[in-house]
Amino acid sequence: VREKECQKRHKSKIVVFTNSSKAAKTLATTLDSRKMVTYSRGIGRRVESKDIGVCHEDLSPEEQHELCRKFRSGKYHTFVTTDVAGKPLLERSDIISTVINYDFPTDMSIYHDRVRYANTTTGTVLNFFTESKSNLLLAPQFSALLQGANQEVPEQLREVAKMFSASP
């Protein structure tokens, strides 16, 4: 049983969403600068690893599609991306075990799009919900969404949701 769990974890894939190219690059570098995937346009040089891929709008559509293809094929275990650059992932959402919203989306429709990436039967979604103005304004909708899905709503989120649902 333990061996099967290890194999399952090895095959699982994680997608981390950020709201900007700069945040995607910074986060990937922070995770492990030696494992970041980058394309250097002027030199045409590519640095790759087996663990972490990063995809964002500063890359050409061809580079984005290639990185997404490599993620789906198993070259990367963790994939840091922005919403636009990550669109090709929708082709094979069954391979993604965990979606992390490192930057909480600025709109609930984007949140719904991101959540669809996770495997619908066994997937996990982890959200970093900070006290930024855009997040606070979404607190009532996010709280209601979690409640409607029978998910635990943290007490702090409940309180913020009450404050912002009462404001004009």
Side-chain angles (χ1 to χ4, degrees), residues 98-146:
T98 306
V99 170
I100 299 173
N101 286 310
Y102 183 78
D103 291 332
F104 197 80
T106 55
D107 183 279
M108 287 306 290
S109 65
I110 296 171
Y111 178 83
H112 289 288
D113 287 344
R114 288 180 180 183
V115 170
R116 287 191 334 203
Y117 287 96
N119 184 313
T120 55
T121 55
T122 60
T124 301
V125 178
L126 175 66
N127 298 294
F128 288 92
F129 194 87
T130 63
E131 293 183 2
S132 71
K133 185 176 180 178
S134 62
N135 284 358
L136 295 175
L137 294 173
L138 290 174
Q141 294 173 37
F142 185 48
S143 178
L145 177 86
L146 291 176

Side-chain angles (χ1 to χ4, degrees), residues 64-75 79 88:
Q64 292 173 16
H65 283 280
E66 179 64 12
L67 287 165
C68 289
R69 185 193 64 73
K70 287 180 178 181
F71 175 70
R72 288 191 308 270
S73 73
K75 179 130 178 115
F79 200 65

Side-chain angles (χ1 to χ4, degrees), residues 12-95:
S12 68
K13 302 216 178 289
I14 300 168
V15 176
V16 183
F17 282 102
T18 64
N19 290 340
S20 70
S21 297
K22 181 179 178 182
K25 291 183 243 181
T26 301
L27 179 59
T29 300
T30 301
L31 290 172
D32 187 347
S33 62
R34 292 177 306 242
K35 294 182 180 178
M36 188 175 102
V37 176
T38 60
Y39 283 87
S40 178
R41 290 183 184 253
I43 304 170
R45 200 174 46 143
R46 192 168 41 146
V47 180
E48 296 182 333
S49 83
K50 293 181 182 177
D51 297 325
I52 299 173
V54 61
C55 190
H56 47 78
E57 290 86 359
D58 292 348
L59 300 173
S60 71
E62 294 79 19
E63 290 169 323
Q64 292 173 16
H65 283 280
E66 179 64 12
L67 287 165
C68 289
R69 185 193 64 73
K70 287 180 178 181
F71 175 70
R72 288 191 308 270
S73 73
K75 179 130 178 115
Y76 310 120
H77 173 265
T78 303
F79 200 65
V80 181
T81 188
T82 58
D83 295 299
V84 173
K87 289 289 183 194
L89 289 173
L90 283 174
E91 297 170 16
R92 287 276 318 274
S93 62
D94 60 310
I95 64 166

Side-chain angles (χ1 to χ4, degrees), residues 149-163:
N150 295 320
Q151 299 294 312
E152 181 182 341
V153 180
E155 186 59 36
Q156 287 177 313
L157 178 59
R158 248 189 239 124
E159 290 172 14
V160 170
K162 284 179 189 174
M163 286 183 347

